[in-house]
Amino acid sequence: MTSSPRLTIDIGKLKHNAQTITTRLAKRGISVTGVTKAILGTPSIATLFLDAGMNRLADSRIENIETMQTARVSAEMTLLRSPMLSQVKRVVHHCHTSCNTEISVIKELSVSAQREGRFHGVILMVELGDLREGIMPEDLLDTVKYTLNCPNITFKGIGTNLACRCGVVPDNQNMTRLSELAVSIEDALNIEVETVSGGNSANLKWALSDQKVGRINNLRLGESILLGCEPLHRQPIDGLHQNAFTLNTEVIEAKMKPSKPIGTIAQAAFGHPPSTTNRGTVAQAIVAIGQQDIDPFGLKPSAGIHVMGASSDHLILESNRNTLRVGDDVTFQLNYSALVRAMTSPYVSKIFR
Ligand SMILES: *Cc1c(COP(=O)(O)O)cnc(C)c1O
């Protein structure tokens, strides 16, 4: 029978989302690289990304790319996170391309690629204000020159990543800057910058507006396809499914309890507990899942049920009316942070529909 907790993944809805976004962006001259990290490189989802018209796949973790390679998912694979020096050999072996910001890493990629008798593509990531990975713009040209001189390394283009660390919004200003950098490389070195990758799901609003796209010809998309929403304000994207993933959990305790803890309060299992007000007696239920498997405040229960908190393996709910019973199934929608943890947890079974 059905196991609990379980994450149900609707392949049809994901395919619709992937096709819709890919088609909309194609009209703007922008290709889509499907990002598989939130789904751990699950081959069936990676395959539907390709069926939907994406020409490349990318992941931040070499393990996920190896999973897809082993399953014979046939696509160009890009490592999104700068390779660890300790993993350079694996990266050259399993990825066609990697995103890079450090000369010492590119040098080792070149050494490994020569040893393997392969060519490895390099996309140079540029810092445009979000202060995560990226080469400072004034150092970009020298890094391109260095890359072009590395044996068995192919310079594939440039990219940037915004919004992930500091929430910096992709806009005309930073996207124009990226286009200008591409043009300045071409003018200075008389080469073609093939890929200009503008960013992640946070770029969609800009990319689908009526602003000129300039030289931007690629986006790397994960969250928007999986959850059907844009990550800047977490608003639903028109025409996409927001419920391709559903989490089911099981009630293991249901009791009327005081809303206010009794006794002296210190730290709880996950730091300082939220302050509580006395709301009298409430209908409390515990479902068998916890911080180890999900982000409790990234779960959206159905109307009338509220998430109150969680320890490693207990999630506390309150319901407006005393309706939850032991053994009941409680359904949730998930945000990105709850989804990545549920996908990663070995305690949550994954059901494909
Ligand atoms: C995770 C990641 C992406 C995809 O981000 P989404 O918000 O899931 O679309 C793109 N680029 C880089 C460098 C990433 O690390």
Side-chain angles (χ1 to χ4, degrees):
M1 261 302 289
T2 50
S3 58
S4 195
R6 66 184 182 279
L7 187 68
T8 305
I9 304 163
D10 189 320
I11 294 287
K13 285 180 180 167
L14 286 181
K15 191 161 180 184
H16 168 87
N17 285 1
Q19 268 167 346
T20 307
I21 292 194
T22 308
T23 309
R24 284 181 196 170
L25 285 171
K27 289 189 187 125
R28 303 269 290 157
I30 296 176
S31 70
V32 177
T33 299
V35 175
T36 52
K37 65 194 185 201
I39 46 109
L40 279 59
T42 304
S44 54
I45 303 179
T47 304
L48 83 81
F49 280 3
L50 297 172
D51 292 345
M54 298 175 189
N55 55 354
R56 276 172 282 185
L57 297 174
D59 203 295
S60 357
R61 296 175 194 251
I62 187 68
E63 292 83 352
N64 295 342
I65 289 179
E66 287 169 355
T67 300
M68 293 186 281
Q69 297 276 26
T70 306
R72 306 207 175 280
V73 175
S74 151
E76 192 188 316
M77 300 283 178
T78 300
L79 187 70
L80 290 172
R81 188 167 66 183
S82 178
M84 294 181 220
L85 279 175
S86 59
Q87 293 185 339
V88 156
K89 210 174 146 208
R90 278 166 87 180
V91 173
V92 166
H93 195 76
H94 290 283
C95 309
H96 305 86
T97 303
S98 56
C99 296
N100 283 271
T101 60
E102 291 288 354
I103 278 180
S104 57
V105 176
I106 299 167
K107 185 175 168 202
E108 288 306 313
L109 287 167
S110 169
V111 170
S112 263
Q114 290 173 71
R115 266 196 211 123
E116 284 229 22
R118 291 174 181 246
F119 278 81
H120 184 76
V122 163
I123 290 182
L124 295 176
M125 298 298 278
V126 191
E127 175 60 65
L128 289 181
D130 197 52
L131 308 183
R132 203 179 75 175
E133 79 275 31
I135 299 160
M136 294 305 287
E138 58 271 26
D139 299 327
L140 183 60
L141 194 58
D142 282 345
T143 315
V144 176
K145 283 184 197 159
Y146 182 88
T147 306
L148 289 169
N149 282 325
C150 282
N152 293 52
I153 295 293
T154 315
F155 171 66
K156 289 269 194 177
I158 60 174
T160 196
N161 196 69
L162 296 169
C164 280
R165 183 193 160 195
C166 295
V168 170
V169 176
D171 59 17
N172 257 345
Q173 205 167 339
N174 43 44
M175 288 299 105
T176 301
R177 182 90 174 95
L178 191 63
S179 284
E180 286 168 359
L181 286 167
V183 173
S184 69
I185 291 167
E186 292 180 339
D187 290 351
L189 304 175
N190 197 23
I191 56 166
E192 192 203 348
V193 180
E194 185 185 301
T195 300
V196 184
S197 189
N200 54 53
S201 292
N203 280 64
L204 269 181
K205 191 159 186 266
W206 172 84
L208 294 172
S209 69
D210 47 19
Q211 311 284 355
K212 286 206 169 62
V213 296
R215 288 295 305 275
I216 313 300
N217 60 11
N218 173 264
L219 291 182
R220 312 170 303 272
L221 303 179
E223 176 172 356
S224 51
I225 295 163
L226 301 173
L227 295 175
C229 69
E230 57 79 34
L232 290 173
H233 308 284
R234 300 250 139 70
Q235 292 300 309
I237 299 170
D238 219 27
L240 297 197
H241 298 289
Q242 283 78 46
N243 58 354
F245 295 86
T246 317
L247 179 72
N248 290 79
T249 60
E250 187 174 323
V251 176
I252 55 170
E253 182 187 294
K255 294 185 189 306
M256 299 302 293
K257 289 205 178 184
S259 49
K260 185 107 184 124
I262 302 143
T264 310
I265 306 296
Q267 284 191 28
F270 284 81
H272 293 280
S275 66
T276 38
T277 50
N278 192 350
R279 290 163 291 117
T281 301
V282 293
Q284 177 180 297
I286 300 175
V287 290
I289 197 164
Q291 295 269 7
Q292 216 170 337
D293 319 290
I294 40 88
D295 174 359
F297 297 107
L299 294 179
K300 194 168 159 236
S302 44
I305 297 177
H306 306 277
V307 174
M308 305 309 290
S311 59
S312 317
D313 38 33
H314 293 77
L315 178 71
I316 314 297
L317 306 176
E318 275 181 29
S319 62
N320 290 355
R321 280 168 292 134
N322 182 17
T323 48
L324 293 175
R325 295 286 171 263
V326 170
D328 279 358
D329 185 276
V330 182
T331 305
F332 300 91
Q333 300 298 313
L334 309 91
N335 74 3
Y336 189 72
S337 96
L339 176 67
V340 290
R341 281 204 232 171
M343 278 302 304
T344 310
S345 171
Y347 306 103
V348 178
S349 48
K350 283 80 185 174
I351 315 282
F352 293 88
R353 202 174 62 195

